[in-house]
Amino acid sequence: MKKGTVWGKKLVAGILMAAIVLGNTAVSTQAATKDTGKNVAVIKEDNYRKTLCKGFLGKSYGSVLDGIRCDCSGYTRAALNRLESKGKSGTALKNVQVGARCTRDWVSGSSITYTTGVAEGDDISWAKKTKLSIGKKSSGTSKLSDLELGDVMVYGRGSSTTHIAVYFGKFSSIGEVKSYLEDLGLYKSNTLKKVSGNKYQYNGKTVIRKYGNSSYWRIHSTCSGIMIDNDIAGSSPYTSSFGNWKWTFSSGIDIIE
């Protein structure tokens, strides 16, 4: 992938050139429209992952953050709601609101709304609010290679929904995940402690856990707290209570390097 270009399989014709605020640099890139004709928010992948983690990793299941009880679906809504602009230190995105309040909402159909902006000198010029429906993207463990950062995975048994997680990305090892979190500035070096069972903990709370050898990682709220693990397919007996991965949904936001 080339830095400064939009990636993802969701982009279609109808491209408008714009300068999107990414990190500390205004990067010339593309603000795209979906086939609905509506603007698509663009965000830098490091900022996206940082939002999914900061203030969440290590929190207990059901912790109340931003007024939301962070069970599995509550965490997903709270994390995506935090994709706010911090001026030049963030992204040109604000007023983010996820409509889905439980796992069933994702399956039956929901929406995400946000206001996008472009950099104009030292300021951000804000556009009108955009509302996108959240639609089914794919399903089943055979689609692992099609996952994109931010995809929402819903688990279930039969027609019932049981769990929800967010795709965090592809990392070759638990050590690479640990190093990435340190590089993001979320943890100082050597403060994440490796313990038995292929786990890294911070202040006694598990934040990363490895199951088997999968290189695909998710972040979600579990009975052990909010953590990152690599059992998206649900093949480990330790995560069988989550049910089977059955549905995958796009957040409607495109990610760039």
Side-chain angles (χ1 to χ4, degrees):
M1 288 181 287
K2 205 184 247 186
K3 286 189 182 295
T5 58
V6 176
W7 68 271
K9 300 168 186 173
K10 303 182 285 295
L11 297 180
V12 294
I15 304 296
L16 298 173
M17 294 304 295
I20 307 296
V21 177
L22 302 168
N24 294 316
T25 308
V27 180
S28 179
T29 183
Q30 296 173 322
T33 59
K34 288 183 179 291
D35 51 7
T36 60
K38 294 182 178 179
N39 290 337
V40 177
V42 181
I43 187 169
K44 191 174 180 181
E45 63 180 3
D46 285 351
N47 290 346
Y48 199 105
R49 289 196 181 100
K50 197 169 187 176
T51 299
L52 293 175
C53 295
K54 191 173 182 179
F56 292 109
L57 279 180
K59 293 291 186 182
S60 300
Y61 179 88
S63 294
V64 177
L65 299 166
D66 301 338
I68 298 172
R69 179 180 178 271
C70 288
D71 54 12
C72 58
S73 59
Y75 157 71
T76 303
R77 182 160 60 97
L80 294 182
N81 281 351
R82 283 191 179 182
L83 293 171
E84 295 287 332
S85 172
K86 300 292 189 299
K88 285 198 168 184
S89 63
T91 57
L93 190 64
K94 68 177 182 179
N95 301 328
V96 185
Q97 287 189 320
V98 177
R101 293 179 175 270
C102 65
T103 53
R104 292 187 302 276
D105 287 347
W106 287 88
V107 177
S108 60
S110 187
S111 64
I112 184 168
T113 61
Y114 47 77
T115 302
T116 56
V118 296
E120 294 184 345
D122 292 332
D123 299 318
I124 297 175
S125 176
W126 296 105
K128 292 189 296 186
K129 179 176 281 194
T130 296
K131 181 175 182 178
L132 292 176
S133 61
I134 298 172
K136 187 182 293 185
K137 181 180 174 183
S138 60
S139 62
T141 55
S142 62
K143 299 294 184 180
L144 274 168
S145 60
D146 290 337
L147 285 169
E148 293 177 299
L149 172 60
D151 282 350
V152 176
M153 296 158 294
V154 181
Y155 298 74
R157 297 186 186 88
S159 60
S160 299
T161 57
T162 55
H163 190 62
I164 188 168
V166 181
Y167 180 56
F168 194 72
K170 194 172 183 180
F171 297 85
S172 62
S173 66
I174 189 172
E176 187 178 3
V177 178
K178 168 188 174 288
S179 295
Y180 180 78
L181 297 182
E182 292 172 343
D183 289 343
L184 285 181
L186 294 171
Y187 300 98
K188 292 181 180 179
S189 180
N190 299 319
T191 59
L192 284 171
K193 304 298 184 182
K194 191 169 187 178
V195 297
S196 61
N198 285 320
K199 291 188 288 187
Y200 276 102
Q201 293 186 338
Y202 180 76
N203 288 341
K205 299 284 190 178
T206 299
V207 295
I208 318 171
R209 181 159 184 172
K210 177 178 177 288
Y211 299 99
N213 296 313
S214 174
S215 56
Y216 296 89
W217 298 76
R218 64 185 174 183
I219 182 168
H220 55 154
S221 183
T222 77
C223 59
S224 298
I226 299 174
M227 70 174 69
I228 298 167
D229 73 40
N230 67 335
D231 194 35
I232 288 174
S235 58
S236 169
Y238 296 104
T239 65
S240 60
S241 62
F242 297 146
N244 299 317
W245 173 32
K246 301 189 69 171
W247 304 275
T248 308
F249 301 85
S250 168
S251 68
I253 296 173
D254 281 293
I255 320 294
I256 69 170
E257 280 189 318

